[in-house]
Amino acid sequence: MSKKTFYITTPLYYVNASPHIGHSYTEIACDCIARYQRMKGEDVFFLTGTDEHGQKVERSAEAEGKDTLKFIDDVVEKFKELWKGLGISYDDFIRTTEKRHIDTVGKILTILHEKGDIYQDEYKGFYCTPCETFWPKLQIEDNLCPDCGRALEEISETNYFFKLSKYQDWLKGYIEEHPDFIKPDFRRNEVIGYLQEPLNDLCISRPRKRLSWGIDIPFAKDHVVYVWFDALINYISGCGWGSDKKTFEKFWPANFHVIGKDILRPHAVYWPMMLYAAGIEMPKTIFAHGWWLAGGEKMSKSKGNIVDPFALLKKYGQNAYRYFLLREVTFGLDGVFSEDAFITRFNSDLANDFGNLLNRTLTMVEKYFDGAVPDEGAMSEADKALDEKIAALPDKFDQSLSALNFNQALVAVWDLINTANKHIELSAPWILAKNDETDRLKAVMSILLKTLSHCVFFVYPFMPDAALNVAGQLGMKITDKDMSLDKLKGPLLAPGSKVNKGKPLFPRIER
Ligand SMILES: [Zn+2]
């Protein structure tokens, strides 16, 4: 039998500026899920990439006096550099300026046009010439540009529209019948809210005379595609629709489109309708996460409160960065970023709890057993209770992570870690050693080592680098490829094998 498949996507990040912490949040979350699904033996496809068309990109390039594609290439390098630093294990990186994507967009447009779902019409609006932006009547006051405050000109131009209105009732019904289609539930309700009001058809073209940096529309030579319509299609162009039938059928429909809450509407309204109109199956779940705020506000350049992901990574490293973002806040809700909270979390969970458990255990194995893993010895009730906790962890962890409940999954792992720390206090191995209770000492040390060796697997999706480091210190000879949950069925550490205590993995950060 062939393996089950699992397809997860990040949004395509817009390349008008360097990556920020929000981009890295989505990326880390998807990486954690992708790694965990691989551990479960699924054939995983993890797609990420960049959205490279539209006026903002064109203008940002102009502002830096660079050729547009050169400007984009430089930003793409920044994204890739950050993903490398954060240990992101994507399977493909798609750029919307690639031929495979452009061809797919053309094909989808042609299908929808031939079906009569794309039509031409006059578009009336208020235009700001210096900003080169159209404003709908609802968004303006006193005929002034909301961005620059200059007077607007009312103009009309020919454009192409996609019939959202035709599919509104269908989408409403679909969302009602599929409770997992949009998550979390309060976001689903938000989308149901959008659909209570009649939807305007979506303008999907821009006249070439105003915008040249876009994908051609096969049936409209004077127009290019609106950037959102183009970018969403990556989720199918990136997995072979229209070019590689085998791969497409293997991975589509996607299990998760993970997005930020600010882009819920295009993903939960436009995208399903585009797919449905083109006769393509729906993705299983669109999950919108919250924002990282700074002091209660959205991070923005103008407020000067942006957290630089490169600086954070350099200062604290990949493991702490990944751990903090996924542990601190329930996925789906907003979180407040502060370096103070970061350090507190690091010192308590990583230095104190996990780091100490490793360090103390290995120190004792060296001291009492010359660094060799002891055999099971004579287990007490308390040892057995810890063993039961180890056995119960996989199910708890799976339930949480399957629902993208990252912090709950970590709470379950840390519950085990803290129980093991308490077990050291209560069983006092130093007294057992002093009293020559070797069989008991063996039992305590071996259950502690077992706890740590199991933690390696559950920490791995969150902090792959730290997990492999711990594995190395425990003397487990494993790499990324060995990270399979099947391994938990057998013994992970053979009695007699040597541990290999290293430097403290998470030294306390002094403020
Ligand atoms: Zn303006």
Side-chain angles (χ1 to χ4, degrees), residues 128 130-131 135 145 147-150:
C128 175
C131 292
W135 295 98
C145 171
D147 266 1
C148 72
R150 292 188 181 90

Side-chain angles (χ1 to χ4, degrees), residues 32-33 36 323 326-327 393-417 458-459 461-462:
C32 179
I33 297 299
Y36 180 61
Y323 180 81
L326 295 178
R327 174 63 185 84
L393 181 59
D395 279 350
K396 276 195 217 165
F397 189 87
D398 188 69
Q399 269 172 21
S400 301
L401 222 48
S402 299
L404 308 202
N405 205 332
F406 298 97
N407 61 352
Q408 204 178 70
L410 285 171
V411 166
V413 181
W414 256 252
D415 178 43
L416 176 64
I417 289 171
F458 295 101
V459 161
F462 292 87

Side-chain angles (χ1 to χ4, degrees), residues 172-179 188:
K172 244 197 250 176
Y174 189 86
I175 293 172
E176 272 156 24
E177 282 160 30
H178 298 83
R188 176 172 178 259

